[in-house]
Every structure is written in structure tokens, then in C-alpha cells.
DNA sequence: GACAAAGTATACAGGTCTGTCTACTATTTG
DNA sequence: CAAATAGTAGACAGACCTGTATACTTTGTC
């Protein structure tokens, strides 16, 4: 694929994360990426298509980052369910942490059923699916229920880290509750 | 206070909630409110000041709605801690539910220390404070910890209801975990 | 080396944005 | 009743928005 296209998506992701989608203009993206306007519009028909491509790429990249780190931090499925919140803490402490891009996107695009919303919904579905598979591998009976509970905790910690700026505490509180829930589901 | 000013804030809140802050123009607010531009700029110096006034009013209104409903649904402090999630479920099921306006605002305004961000942070602090006082009234030792845990669950259920559109399930899952945590903190 | 593909730079159209200004009209208050 | 206050309607400036078009340049491939 084109290196210009990749540069555009990379730049767009940074600016969308920091300043939001509506507040980030095409010209700003072009200036930061060092790409001409015509090149952008040869790769993407509209700004919305660029947003969509950026979100789709971030979906893949982020889940890859997340799973790779979970698997590096712990070996057993049960330990990995807990490690999710260690990875979250490391994520929150990055200096370019601006919350979850998919949550932020839904805040700006409220119309249900649109492509942008569906990508965000799918990302959350896949994160839930990942935690459910870990729970199943750990031999937990109510794997789906536990995954929903842990997903809720993860969302809560992301938003608390973003809004209340208590990043370490948000992750640690979520992890403490997660431990309680995993122990309970295992008994 | 001026009825025009109130109408402006009310209209702005509806449009900001539905379409976001950057995507909602001054002219759109004026047309919906039936107010002249000069009147707006006699009450607010800039759009940001209107946003700030709207957020501050929503802070008061929302917490009042929340606490009134919690207190109507349950009588004892312990039951009220659980009722928080029944009120959340009722909130999510409103047809004009677009998630938490403060979370959405932070997604659009990333610069820490700005007035808009501080209002959002303060709202979350006050919600935590409310749940902490309920926990204290219920005689729970680690009231602050429990409040942080329940706040995390509440945030998680809000975001899940908004993004994943499983509104009933999000509230019920959070309530189920909350019950576990409250029982544990009481033992 | 020729030629097609991909890129640059930039002007432009048509629209929207915030905020100011002028001129006029109700409304309230002393 | 008169004067101050608060409002309407709308034009306007200057900036920014998305998306298209023109003319030129680089790059890669046969």
C-alpha cells in the first residue's frame, strides 16, 4: 500500500485523538502529514472515509497492542484476565493518552447505524470476545457474564483515567474488583 | 434571571448532547431557541462561555435528578447504593440518551486545566462524593474505596450503554457487581 | 529512454463558523 | 409619559471548512 496513505492515517489518528474529529480539519492533517490535498482525495472520497479508515486501522493496531502485552505479562488464562488491567494502567500512563478513541468518536457521532458507530461497536464487541475466550480457557463456567463484568470495569477505568485524571488509581481499583470477580467465578 | 438566557442554555444542552460541541454552531442554537444573535452575545461573551454555563447548569440538574430518584427508590443508605444502578437504567432508556455529557465534552476538549475540563472533573468528583456519603451512612468501613469501585462501574455502564447499545444489560451487569461489592464491604 | 502513475502546489467555489455592528421594536420601570 | 433596558432581524467581516480543478514534477516500470 501507499506510504502516503499510511502517513495520512497515522497523522489523522494522532490529531483526531488529541483534538477530536470535528475540530480537526483536512488542511491541518495535510500540513502535519506533508501531503498534498489531491493525494488525500485520491485515497479517500471524503473526510468521513478517512475517519473510517483511521478507526479501522486503530481497531487492529490497538487490539494487537493490547493482546500482545497481556500475553507477555502473564502465562495462564486466569492471570491474563487480571493482566488486562496492568496493560490498561500502562496505556493510561502514556503521555499521548486521550481516552478511548472509539468512545470519543461515539460522543461526536450520535446517529445509530452509521458506519462510524458500527466500527466503534464492533471494537467493543471484539474486546469483550477476547476476555470471554480467556475466561473460557480458564475454565470459568459463566464466561460470558464475567467477560461483561470485566469489560464494564475496563470501560469505567478508561473514562475515569481520562476525565478524573487519576490514572493509576483507576486501573488499580478496576484490577482489585476484577480479582474479586474472578475468584468468585472460580469457586 | 432572563428567560431568554435560560432558553439558550436549555437549547444548547439538547444540541450539544445530540450532535457534540464543535458540530453545533451558534446559528443552529439561535434558530432552535428562537433568539437573536445579539441577545446571546449580551449574555455570553463567547461560545465557550455558553458551553461552560450549559455544563454548569447540567451538573446541577443532573445530580439533582439522580439523587432525587435514588432517594425515591430506596430508603436505607445500603439500598440506595444499589438503587444508583436502577436510576442509571432508567436514564439509559430515555430516548434522548446520548451518554454522559461530561465524558463527551472531555473527548472534544483534551487540554487539561481548562475551565471546561475542570467542570467535568468536578462533576465526577461530586458523584463520587455522593456515593461515598451513602457508603458512610451505611456504616461501611472502607467507604472511599467502595465509592471508587461503584463509580467505576457506573462509568462503565454509561459508556457501554452508549457505545454498545445494550442499555438494560449494561445497567443490570453493573448492579450485579455492585451487590457483590457492597455485600463484601459489609462483612 | 519513454510513458504512465502518483505526487506537489495552489487557486477556487460554495458554504459555514464566530463575533460585531446597525437599525428598529417591545417592554419595563421610575 | 419618558427613558432606559432588553429584545429582534439581519448584514457583514474575516476566518475556516470540504471538495474540485489546473498545471507542473517526480517516480517507477516496461
Amino acid at each position: 500500500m501507499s506510504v502516503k496513505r499510511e502517513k495520512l492515517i497515522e497523522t489523522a489518528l494522532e490529531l483526531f485523538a488529541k483534538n477530536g474529529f470535528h475540530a480537526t480539519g483536512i488542511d491541518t492533517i495535510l500540513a502535519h502529514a506533508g501531503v498534498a490535498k489531491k493525494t488525500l482525495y485520491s485515497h479517500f472520497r471524503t473526510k468521513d472515509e478517512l475517519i473510517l479508515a483511521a478507526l479501522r486501522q486503530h481497531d487492529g493496531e490497538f487490539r494487537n497492542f493490547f493482546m500482545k502485552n497481556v500475553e507477555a505479562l502473564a502465562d495462564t488464562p486466569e492471570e491474563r484476565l487480571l493482566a488486562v488491567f496492568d496493560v490498561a494502567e500502562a496505556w493510561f500512563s502514556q503521555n499521548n493518552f486521550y481516552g478511548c478513541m472509539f468512545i470519543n468518536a461515539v460522543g461526536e457521532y450520535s446517529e445509530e447505524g452509521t458506519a462510524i458507530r458500527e466500527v466503534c461497536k464492533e471494537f467493543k464487541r471484539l474486546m469483550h470476545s477476547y476476555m470471554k475466550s480467556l475466561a473460557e480457557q480458564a475454565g470459568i463456567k459463566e464466561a460470558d457474564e464475567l467477560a461483561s463484568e470485566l469489560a464494564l470495569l475496563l470501560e469505567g477505568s478508561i473514562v475515569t483515567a481520562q476525565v478524573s485524571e487519576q490514572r493509576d488509581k483507576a486501573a488499580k481499583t478496576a484490577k482489585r474488583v476484577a480479582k474479586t470477580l474472578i475468584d468468585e467465578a472460580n469457586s
Side-chain angles (χ1 to χ4, degrees), chain A:
Chain A
M1 263 294 158
S2 164
V3 63
K4 293 292 173 183
R5 188 193 149 95
E6 285 167 20
K7 182 69 182 164
L8 281 169
I9 290 183
E10 179 195 325
T11 307
L13 279 174
E14 286 169 17
L15 293 170
F16 289 153
K18 191 181 304 192
N19 302 318
F21 297 88
H22 285 93
T24 303
I26 288 289
D27 288 337
T28 308
I29 297 170
L30 294 174
H32 279 77
V35 168
K37 191 175 270 196
K38 199 164 187 213
T39 304
L40 187 154
Y41 281 102
S42 77
H43 286 295
F44 309 100
R45 281 189 14 238
T46 62
K47 182 186 177 181
D48 270 18
E49 284 214 355
L50 171 61
I51 293 175
L52 216 48
L55 286 176
R56 282 199 240 268
Q57 175 158 319
H58 185 63
D59 172 36
E61 282 173 359
F62 184 87
R63 284 186 297 109
N64 187 58
F65 154 84
F66 208 84
M67 296 174 189
K68 274 244 167 76
N69 277 277
V70 165
E71 279 146 41
L73 276 179
D75 292 326
T76 71
E78 194 181 320
E79 285 170 347
R80 282 177 178 168
L81 280 174
L82 265 182
V84 158
F85 298 92
D86 295 320
V87 176
E89 183 173 344
W91 173 33
F92 301 164
S93 72
Q94 288 172 10
N95 54 3
N96 61 339
F97 170 73
Y98 299 106
C100 169
M101 172 160 286
F102 302 99
I103 295 174
N104 295 346
V106 169
E108 290 201 49
Y109 298 92
S110 71
E111 199 182 343
E112 290 185 16
T114 54
I116 288 176
R117 291 274 304 220
E118 290 302 311
V119 172
C120 300
K121 220 165 99 176
E122 177 67 1
F123 167 80
K124 296 299 182 188
R125 209 187 57 71
L126 289 168
M127 289 294 286
H128 175 277
S129 177
Y130 175 58
M131 290 192 273
K132 181 176 173 182
S133 79
L134 285 180
E136 283 168 346
Q137 287 164 44
I140 288 165
K141 249 190 177 172
E142 309 279 10
D144 194 86
E145 273 194 1
L146 180 64
S148 295
E149 294 168 359
L150 297 183
L152 220 66
L153 286 172
L154 182 59
E155 301 287 20
S157 68
I158 294 167
V159 167
T160 301
Q162 181 185 13
V163 177
S164 301
E165 298 165 21
Q166 301 172 319
R167 303 186 180 187
D168 287 16
K169 193 192 162 195
K172 286 186 202 306
T173 301
K175 189 181 180 184
R176 186 175 66 236
V177 178
K179 182 145 179 49
T180 303
L181 296 175
I182 293 166
D183 288 349
E184 188 144 303
N186 252 335
S187 66

